[in-house]
Amino acid sequence: MIVEPSPTETHRLVRAARCAGKSVGCVPTMGALHAGHVSLIERARKECDFVVGTIFVNPTQFGPNEDFSKYPRTLESDLEMCREAGADLVFTPQTSSMYAPLAQTIVRVDRLASVLEGAHRPGHFDGVSTVVTKLFNITEPDRAYFGQKDFQQQLIIRQMVEDLNHPVEIITCPIIRESDGLAMSSRNRYLSPDERQRAGRLSQALRKAKQLAQETSLAPAEISAAMIDMLRSVEGIDLQYAVITNGRTLELLTEPTEPAVALIAAKVGTTRLIDNEILHFSLRQ
Ligand code: PAF
């Protein structure tokens, strides 16, 4: 496995693989890898001839009061995980090689990026769509792999790829969960043991929503009210939203129609967590 910090050299290595007739899979990450990331690299390994992981804690997607400086940086163990999962190349740029001091271009997806996470984290998705565009330009992948855990992010990237004619197929991979249901996230390592226990309630609320959608004829608003009830009663959880939306447009659902997704964001202590579950309305009229 090659570890390469230079965008130019990474581009050259990927080009060489493409010229040799290899298909390229890219797994963009910010490091602090866990089993969720490993599942993305393993999937890319199965589906592509040449697998590129990227590790870059992208400053432009963090707000001024967010955790950029304390975001976990665990490069050595990340590289070991990439190697074991079968990556061929890992791109590990410095901020200075990704953002020139006079850079002025931002890639912005409009409506999808303005709601939910976009409303709570202004500018976040501009940072994501801009850096992902740059990573796609550098690694020229045939396929790129993202986790369903960041549901809104993968929708925004799909929209961007369609709008800008990026020749890349976006693959969304299932959420990997801890044994109590907590969605794996690099930020889980901020949780104290007590907070870690409370955090399990988020996935319980989503499982409840899934069950209510499948087994009752409750309206989406009633199901989200049930999630809110479950989470508001837990001390130490500061719920930011628990909603049921259209799974493509992110508009709030008024009727039990599909695609549908339940989305939650909450602060557990000082750690902000997000999670989601695809819903199926089995009893819908
Ligand atoms: O999901 C992430 O880790 C980041 O948002 C991404 C896609 C690597 C862009 O920095």
Side-chain angles (χ1 to χ4, degrees), residues 209-210 212-215 258 260 278-284:
K210 193 179 170 91
L212 291 173
Q214 248 157 17
E215 296 173 12
E258 294 179 20
I278 306 289
L279 301 186
H280 297 289
F281 296 101
S282 310
L283 300 180
R284 85 194 125 126

Side-chain angles (χ1 to χ4, degrees), residues 27-31 37 54 56-58 61 71 124 127-129 131-132 135 146-147 150 153 157 186:
V27 182
T29 82
M30 297 206 299
H37 297 110
T54 76
F56 177 55
V57 186
N58 172 36
Q61 68 187 75
Y71 197 83
H124 167 65
V128 171
S129 39
V131 81
V132 170
L135 294 171
F146 295 88
D150 293 300
Q153 170 173 280
I157 291 166
S186 305

Side-chain angles (χ1 to χ4, degrees), residues 4-15 91 93 97 138:
E4 180 51 65
S6 152
T8 317
E9 182 58 12
T10 298
H11 192 237
R12 196 192 65 73
L13 289 165
V14 176
R15 270 288 164 92
F91 175 47
S97 67
I138 294 163

Side-chain angles (χ1 to χ4, degrees), residues 95-208:
T95 302
S96 55
S97 67
M98 289 296 277
Y99 295 107
L102 299 179
Q104 346 185 352
T105 306
I106 291 172
V107 179
R108 171 170 301 154
V109 176
D110 190 13
R111 283 187 302 283
L112 278 176
S114 65
V115 296
L116 302 172
E117 287 306 282
H120 281 84
R121 304 181 66 188
H124 167 65
F125 286 123
D126 288 356
V128 171
S129 39
T130 304
V131 81
V132 170
T133 300
K134 291 166 74 72
L135 294 171
F136 285 175
N137 288 339
I138 294 163
T139 66
E140 292 188 355
D142 296 286
R143 302 188 189 88
Y145 296 80
F146 295 88
Q148 184 199 312
K149 153 99 169 15
D150 293 300
F151 189 87
Q152 187 172 4
Q153 170 173 280
Q154 58 85 37
L155 273 187
I156 287 168
I157 291 166
R158 283 174 182 279
Q159 185 71 49
M160 175 186 92
V161 159
E162 193 182 324
D163 293 350
L164 298 183
N165 304 87
H166 279 298
V168 54
E169 182 186 356
I170 302 302
I171 316 272
T172 304
C173 300
I175 300 175
I176 306 293
R177 297 183 179 281
E178 304 282 359
S179 55
D180 68 342
L182 178 66
M184 290 210 182
S185 162
S186 305
R187 292 190 165 96
N188 290 352
R189 62 188 85 192
Y190 299 149
L191 299 168
S192 69
D194 183 47
E195 290 165 350
R196 168 65 191 80
Q197 216 187 349
R198 286 163 213 243
R201 301 297 280 270
L202 301 188
S203 61
Q204 280 176 22
L206 288 167
R207 279 203 299 278
K208 183 74 186 167

